[in-house]
Protein backbone atom coordinates (compact mmCIF):
# COMPACT_ATOMS: atom_id res chain seq x y z
CA UNK A 1 0.00 0.00 0.00
CA UNK A 2 1.28 3.47 -0.80
CA UNK A 3 1.27 5.62 2.32
CA UNK A 4 -0.09 9.04 1.37
CA UNK A 5 -1.02 12.33 2.98
CA UNK A 6 -4.62 12.42 4.26
CA UNK A 7 -4.93 8.67 4.78
CA UNK A 8 -6.28 7.42 8.10
CA UNK A 9 -4.43 5.04 10.42
CA UNK A 10 -5.71 3.47 13.63
CA UNK A 11 -2.86 2.55 15.98
CA UNK A 12 -3.62 0.68 19.20
CA UNK A 13 -1.21 0.99 22.11
CA UNK A 14 -0.25 4.35 20.62
CA UNK A 15 0.74 6.13 23.84
CA UNK A 16 4.10 4.42 24.27
CA UNK A 17 6.90 2.41 22.68
CA UNK A 18 6.37 0.97 19.21
CA UNK A 19 2.83 2.40 18.89
CA UNK A 20 3.99 5.93 19.67
CA UNK A 21 6.96 5.64 17.30
CA UNK A 22 4.66 4.32 14.58
CA UNK A 23 2.13 7.13 15.16
CA UNK A 24 4.89 9.71 14.81
CA UNK A 25 6.38 8.09 11.70
CA UNK A 26 2.95 7.87 10.01
CA UNK A 27 2.02 11.38 11.09
CA UNK A 28 5.20 12.78 9.54
CA UNK A 29 4.01 11.39 6.21
CA UNK A 30 0.75 13.35 6.58
CA UNK A 31 -1.38 10.41 7.74
CA UNK A 32 -4.15 11.24 10.22
CA UNK A 33 -3.45 9.03 13.22
CA UNK A 34 -6.21 7.73 15.48
CA UNK A 35 -4.27 6.96 18.64
CA UNK A 36 -6.02 4.34 20.79
CA UNK A 37 -4.71 3.44 24.23
CA UNK A 38 -6.02 2.46 27.64
CA UNK A 39 -3.67 4.77 29.57
CA UNK A 40 -5.65 8.01 29.33
CA UNK A 41 -3.18 10.58 30.73
CA UNK A 42 -0.22 9.25 28.77
CA UNK A 43 -2.30 9.02 25.60
CA UNK A 44 -3.52 12.63 25.79
CA UNK A 45 0.02 13.85 26.55
CA UNK A 46 1.47 11.82 23.65
CA UNK A 47 -1.17 13.13 21.22
CA UNK A 48 -0.46 16.71 22.36
CA UNK A 49 3.25 16.22 21.75
CA UNK A 50 2.60 14.91 18.24
CA UNK A 51 0.10 17.71 17.56
CA UNK A 52 2.87 20.14 18.55
CA UNK A 53 5.04 18.53 15.86
CA UNK A 54 2.38 19.29 13.24
CA UNK A 55 0.92 15.77 13.21
CA UNK A 56 -2.85 15.33 12.93
CA UNK A 57 -4.02 13.01 15.72
CA UNK A 58 -7.30 11.89 17.23
CA UNK A 59 -6.69 10.22 20.60
CA UNK A 60 -9.42 7.83 21.77
CA UNK A 61 -9.13 6.17 25.17
CA UNK A 62 -9.71 2.50 24.37
CA UNK A 63 -9.33 -0.82 26.15
CA UNK A 64 -8.68 -3.25 23.30
CA UNK A 65 -9.60 -6.21 25.49
CA UNK A 66 -13.17 -4.86 25.72
CA UNK A 67 -15.43 -5.26 22.67
CA UNK A 68 -17.73 -2.33 23.63
CA UNK A 69 -14.67 -0.11 24.02
CA UNK A 70 -13.35 -1.03 20.54
CA UNK A 71 -16.84 -0.60 19.10
CA UNK A 72 -16.83 2.92 20.56
CA UNK A 73 -13.44 3.53 18.94
CA UNK A 74 -14.83 2.43 15.57
CA UNK A 75 -17.86 4.72 15.99
CA UNK A 76 -15.62 7.72 16.71
CA UNK A 77 -13.47 6.92 13.68
CA UNK A 78 -16.49 6.57 11.40
CA UNK A 79 -18.26 9.70 12.66
CA UNK A 80 -15.30 12.03 13.06
CA UNK A 81 -12.36 10.86 10.96
CA UNK A 82 -13.24 8.70 7.96
CA UNK A 83 -12.52 5.33 6.34
CA UNK A 84 -9.50 3.51 7.73
CA UNK A 85 -6.59 2.85 5.38
CA UNK A 86 -4.21 1.32 7.90
CA UNK A 87 -5.15 -0.72 10.97
CA UNK A 88 -2.26 -1.35 13.36
CA UNK A 89 -3.11 -3.86 16.08
CA UNK A 90 -0.14 -3.13 18.31
CA UNK A 91 -1.31 -2.89 21.95
CA UNK A 92 0.23 -5.61 24.08
CA UNK A 93 1.27 -6.53 27.61
CA UNK A 94 3.52 -9.01 29.35
CA UNK A 95 2.91 -10.44 32.82
CA UNK A 96 5.22 -12.01 35.40
CA UNK A 97 8.01 -14.38 34.39
CA UNK A 98 7.48 -17.81 35.89
CA UNK A 99 7.02 -21.38 34.69
CA UNK A 100 3.60 -22.33 33.36
CA UNK A 101 2.61 -24.28 36.47
CA UNK A 102 2.95 -21.12 38.57
CA UNK A 103 1.09 -18.76 36.25
CA UNK A 104 -2.10 -17.40 37.76
CA UNK A 105 -5.35 -17.79 35.82
CA UNK A 106 -5.98 -14.06 36.20
CA UNK A 107 -2.72 -13.44 34.36
CA UNK A 108 -3.80 -15.74 31.49
CA UNK A 109 -7.10 -13.84 31.25
CA UNK A 110 -5.40 -10.44 31.16
CA UNK A 111 -2.60 -11.24 28.70
CA UNK A 112 -4.84 -13.20 26.30
CA UNK A 113 -7.49 -10.49 26.67
CA UNK A 114 -5.17 -7.71 25.53
CA UNK A 115 -2.77 -9.54 23.17
CA UNK A 116 -5.26 -11.84 21.42
CA UNK A 117 -8.79 -10.51 22.01
CA UNK A 118 -7.42 -7.02 21.34
CA UNK A 119 -6.39 -8.05 17.82
CA UNK A 120 -9.65 -9.94 17.25
CA UNK A 121 -11.64 -6.87 18.32
CA UNK A 122 -9.63 -4.57 16.06
CA UNK A 123 -10.21 -6.83 13.07
CA UNK A 124 -13.91 -7.32 13.83
CA UNK A 125 -14.46 -3.57 14.19
CA UNK A 126 -12.54 -2.31 11.15
CA UNK A 127 -11.84 -5.10 8.69
CA UNK A 128 -15.34 -5.60 7.22
CA UNK A 129 -15.35 -2.03 5.88
CA UNK A 130 -11.79 -2.32 4.59
CA UNK A 131 -12.73 -5.52 2.74
CA UNK A 132 -15.87 -3.85 1.37
CA UNK A 133 -13.75 -0.92 0.08
CA UNK A 134 -11.14 -3.33 -1.26
CA UNK A 135 -8.28 -1.22 0.06
CA UNK A 136 -5.97 -0.83 3.01
CA UNK A 137 -3.48 -2.70 5.11
CA UNK A 138 -3.58 -4.53 8.43
CA UNK A 139 -0.46 -4.58 10.60
CA UNK A 140 -0.52 -7.08 13.46
CA UNK A 141 2.31 -6.76 15.96
CA UNK A 142 3.06 -10.21 17.40
CA UNK A 143 6.58 -11.05 18.60
CA UNK A 144 9.57 -13.26 17.97
CA UNK A 145 8.00 -15.08 20.96
CA UNK A 146 5.12 -15.91 18.61
CA UNK A 147 7.27 -18.27 16.56
CA UNK A 148 9.69 -19.63 19.17
CA UNK A 149 9.29 -21.12 22.65
CA UNK A 150 9.55 -18.60 25.47
CA UNK A 151 10.40 -20.53 28.64
CA UNK A 152 9.22 -18.50 31.63
CA UNK A 153 6.46 -16.79 29.71
CA UNK A 154 4.27 -19.37 28.01
CA UNK A 155 1.36 -16.98 28.61
CA UNK A 156 2.90 -14.31 26.38
CA UNK A 157 4.15 -16.93 23.89
CA UNK A 158 0.68 -18.49 23.60
CA UNK A 159 -0.94 -15.10 23.02
CA UNK A 160 1.58 -14.21 20.31
CA UNK A 161 1.53 -17.65 18.65
CA UNK A 162 -2.24 -17.18 18.39
CA UNK A 163 -1.77 -13.79 16.72
CA UNK A 164 0.64 -15.37 14.23
CA UNK A 165 -1.85 -18.13 13.32
CA UNK A 166 -4.68 -15.64 13.07
CA UNK A 167 -2.68 -13.28 10.88
CA UNK A 168 -1.36 -15.96 8.51
CA UNK A 169 -4.87 -17.40 8.09
CA UNK A 170 -6.35 -13.96 7.47
CA UNK A 171 -3.81 -13.23 4.74
CA UNK A 172 -4.74 -16.45 2.93
CA UNK A 173 -8.46 -15.69 3.28
CA UNK A 174 -8.01 -12.25 1.73
CA UNK A 175 -5.92 -13.81 -1.03
CA UNK A 176 -8.64 -16.34 -1.76
CA UNK A 177 -11.24 -13.64 -2.36
CA UNK A 178 -8.75 -11.61 -4.40
CA UNK A 179 -8.91 -8.69 -1.96
CA UNK A 180 -6.39 -5.88 -2.26
CA UNK A 181 -6.32 -5.49 1.53
CA UNK A 182 -2.78 -6.36 2.64
CA UNK A 183 -1.63 -7.98 5.86
CA UNK A 184 1.74 -7.50 7.52
CA UNK A 185 2.85 -9.57 10.51
CA UNK A 186 5.51 -8.01 12.73
CA UNK A 187 7.75 -10.25 14.84
CA UNK A 188 10.05 -7.99 16.83
CA UNK A 189 12.90 -9.18 19.02
CA UNK A 190 13.72 -7.07 22.08
CA UNK A 191 12.80 -3.39 21.66
CA UNK A 192 13.51 -0.63 24.19
CA UNK A 193 9.97 0.32 25.34
CA UNK A 194 7.91 0.35 28.53
CA UNK A 195 6.61 -3.20 28.09
CA UNK A 196 8.35 -4.47 31.22
CA UNK A 197 6.13 -1.99 33.13
CA UNK A 198 2.96 -3.48 31.59
CA UNK A 199 1.41 -4.01 35.03
CA UNK A 200 0.68 -0.27 35.12
CA UNK A 201 -2.36 -1.08 32.97
CA UNK A 202 -3.49 -4.30 34.64
CA UNK A 203 -7.14 -4.00 35.75
CA UNK A 204 -7.70 -4.26 39.51
CA UNK A 205 -9.81 -7.41 39.11
CA UNK A 206 -6.96 -9.28 37.35
CA UNK A 207 -4.12 -8.46 39.75
CA UNK A 208 -1.77 -11.32 40.71
CA UNK A 209 0.98 -11.75 43.29
CA UNK A 210 4.45 -12.12 41.74
CA UNK A 211 5.14 -15.86 41.49
CA UNK A 212 8.04 -17.01 43.71
CA UNK A 213 10.16 -18.26 40.78
CA UNK A 214 9.72 -15.04 38.79
CA UNK A 215 13.28 -13.75 39.11
CA UNK A 216 14.96 -16.87 37.81
CA UNK A 217 13.01 -16.74 34.53
CA UNK A 218 13.03 -13.04 33.68
CA UNK A 219 15.41 -11.96 30.86
CA UNK A 220 18.31 -10.05 32.37
CA UNK A 221 17.84 -6.29 32.55
CA UNK A 222 21.07 -5.69 30.67
CA UNK A 223 19.80 -7.48 27.53
CA UNK A 224 20.46 -5.52 24.33
CA UNK A 225 17.45 -4.05 22.57
CA UNK A 226 16.76 -1.88 19.53
CA UNK A 227 15.06 1.49 19.30
CA UNK A 228 11.26 1.68 18.75
CA UNK A 229 11.79 4.24 15.96
CA UNK A 230 13.80 1.67 14.01
CA UNK A 231 10.91 -0.79 14.33
CA UNK A 232 8.46 1.88 13.16
CA UNK A 233 10.63 2.57 10.11
CA UNK A 234 10.70 -1.16 9.27
CA UNK A 235 6.90 -1.33 9.59
CA UNK A 236 6.40 1.62 7.21
CA UNK A 237 8.75 0.05 4.70
CA UNK A 238 6.88 -3.27 5.00
CA UNK A 239 3.51 -1.55 4.45
CA UNK A 240 4.81 0.38 1.42
CA UNK A 241 6.10 -2.87 -0.09
CA UNK A 242 3.22 -5.06 1.16
CA UNK A 243 5.64 -7.43 2.89
CA UNK A 244 3.83 -10.35 4.57
CA UNK A 245 6.21 -10.76 7.52
CA UNK A 246 9.01 -8.72 9.05
CA UNK A 247 11.15 -9.56 12.05
CA UNK A 248 12.91 -6.40 13.23
CA UNK A 249 15.66 -7.17 15.74
CA UNK A 250 14.98 -10.89 15.36
CA UNK A 251 18.55 -11.56 16.43
CA UNK A 252 18.11 -9.47 19.59
CA UNK A 253 16.57 -11.66 22.25
CA UNK A 254 16.87 -11.44 26.03
CA UNK A 255 19.20 -13.81 27.78
CA UNK A 256 17.46 -15.44 30.74
CA UNK A 257 18.85 -14.58 34.15
CA UNK A 258 20.20 -17.23 36.47
CA UNK A 259 20.50 -19.95 33.84
CA UNK A 260 16.83 -20.79 34.21
CA UNK A 261 16.46 -22.19 30.69
N1 LIG B 1 9.26 -4.27 23.54
C1 LIG B 1 9.58 -5.47 23.06
O1 LIG B 1 10.68 -5.99 23.30
C2 LIG B 1 8.60 -6.22 22.19
C3 LIG B 1 9.05 -7.37 21.54
C4 LIG B 1 8.16 -8.07 20.73
C5 LIG B 1 6.86 -7.63 20.59
N2 LIG B 1 6.44 -6.51 21.25
C6 LIG B 1 5.05 -6.10 21.10
O2 LIG B 1 5.01 -4.75 20.69
C7 LIG B 1 3.73 -4.20 21.03
C8 LIG B 1 3.91 -2.82 21.64
O3 LIG B 1 4.53 -2.95 22.92
P1 LIG B 1 5.70 -1.99 23.40
O4 LIG B 1 6.92 -2.83 23.52
O5 LIG B 1 5.74 -0.75 22.60
O6 LIG B 1 5.23 -1.70 24.92
P2 LIG B 1 4.75 -0.36 25.66
O7 LIG B 1 4.34 -0.81 27.02
O8 LIG B 1 5.79 0.69 25.57
O9 LIG B 1 3.48 0.07 24.82
C9 LIG B 1 2.30 -0.71 24.82
C10 LIG B 1 1.10 0.21 24.82
O10 LIG B 1 -0.10 -0.60 24.87
C11 LIG B 1 -1.00 0.03 25.76
N3 LIG B 1 -1.97 -0.92 26.29
C12 LIG B 1 -1.81 -1.85 27.26
N4 LIG B 1 -2.97 -2.48 27.51
C13 LIG B 1 -3.89 -1.94 26.67
C14 LIG B 1 -5.26 -2.17 26.46
N5 LIG B 1 -5.94 -3.08 27.19
N6 LIG B 1 -5.91 -1.44 25.53
C15 LIG B 1 -5.23 -0.49 24.80
N7 LIG B 1 -3.94 -0.22 24.97
C16 LIG B 1 -3.26 -0.94 25.89
C17 LIG B 1 -0.11 0.61 26.85
O11 LIG B 1 -0.77 1.63 27.60
C18 LIG B 1 1.07 1.13 26.04
O12 LIG B 1 0.86 2.48 25.66
C19 LIG B 1 3.08 -5.24 21.96
O13 LIG B 1 2.13 -6.00 21.25
C20 LIG B 1 4.24 -6.11 22.37
O14 LIG B 1 3.82 -7.40 22.75
C21 LIG B 1 7.28 -5.79 22.05
Amino acid sequence: MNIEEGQVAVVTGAASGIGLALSRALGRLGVIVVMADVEAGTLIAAAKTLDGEGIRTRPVVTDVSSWPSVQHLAEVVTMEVGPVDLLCNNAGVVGPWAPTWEQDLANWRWVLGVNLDGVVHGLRAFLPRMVARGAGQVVNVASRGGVTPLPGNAVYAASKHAVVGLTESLREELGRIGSAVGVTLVLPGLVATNISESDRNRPKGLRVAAPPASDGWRPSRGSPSIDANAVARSILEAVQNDLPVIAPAADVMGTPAGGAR
Side-chain angles (χ1 to χ4, degrees):
M1 183 188 107
N2 284 331
I3 301 178
E4 289 164 9
E5 193 171 347
Q7 286 176 336
V8 173
V10 172
V11 181
T12 68
S16 170
I18 296 170
L20 177 55
L22 191 54
S23 300
R24 178 175 272 121
L26 286 165
R28 282 182 180 165
L29 295 177
V31 173
I32 303 163
V33 188
V34 179
M35 300 173 71
D37 204 289
V38 76
E39 206 175 336
T42 315
L43 174 66
I44 302 308
K48 253 193 196 151
T49 303
L50 295 196
D51 289 348
E53 297 171 14
I55 290 169
R56 284 181 289 172
T57 67
R58 174 61 171 95
V60 184
V61 177
T62 307
D63 176 357
V64 295
S65 71
S66 153
W67 174 236
S69 182
V70 177
Q71 274 182 307
H72 171 255
L73 168 67
E75 276 161 27
V76 171
V77 174
T78 305
M79 305 289 286
E80 297 179 24
V81 190
V84 173
D85 298 286
L86 188 58
L87 170 63
C88 304
N89 290 307
N90 162 76
V93 291
V94 65
W97 289 78
T100 304
W101 56 91
E102 287 177 10
Q103 290 285 358
D104 204 297
L105 284 180
N107 191 49
W108 279 99
R109 296 283 77 80
W110 178 53
V111 174
L112 288 172
V114 178
N115 294 7
L116 175 57
D117 294 355
V119 176
V120 173
H121 293 157
L123 294 173
R124 190 74 200 111
F126 295 103
L127 192 55
R129 271 176 238 170
M130 294 170 79
V131 171
R133 284 175 66 219
Q137 186 90 12
V138 174
V139 173
N140 285 347
V141 179
S143 167
R144 168 87 194 277
V147 289
T148 56
L150 201 55
N153 222 318
V155 184
Y156 185 80
S159 72
K160 295 298 187 177
H161 273 72
V163 171
V164 170
L166 164 60
T167 308
E168 300 286 9
S169 305
L170 170 64
R171 184 183 310 107
E172 292 208 8
E173 289 167 356
L174 290 166
R176 256 195 224 185
I177 65 161
S179 173
V181 176
V183 177
T184 295
L185 174 65
V186 186
L187 305 171
L190 268 191
V191 187
T193 67
N194 295 313
I195 193 146
S196 60
E197 316 297 328
S198 289
D199 255 27
R200 67 194 188 277
N201 291 313
R202 186 189 286 271
K204 278 196 185 98
L206 295 177
R207 291 224 172 114
V208 293
S214 208
D215 281 346
W217 295 89
R218 184 186 296 277
S220 68
R221 283 191 180 271
S223 297
S225 54
I226 68 156
D227 179 55
N229 294 312
V231 178
R233 280 195 298 276
S234 304
I235 294 175
L236 291 200
E237 212 179 293
V239 169
Q240 304 262 30
N241 295 294
D242 193 19
L243 300 183
V245 186
I246 56 164
D251 53 335
V252 185
M253 288 294 279
T255 40
R261 240 198 278 215

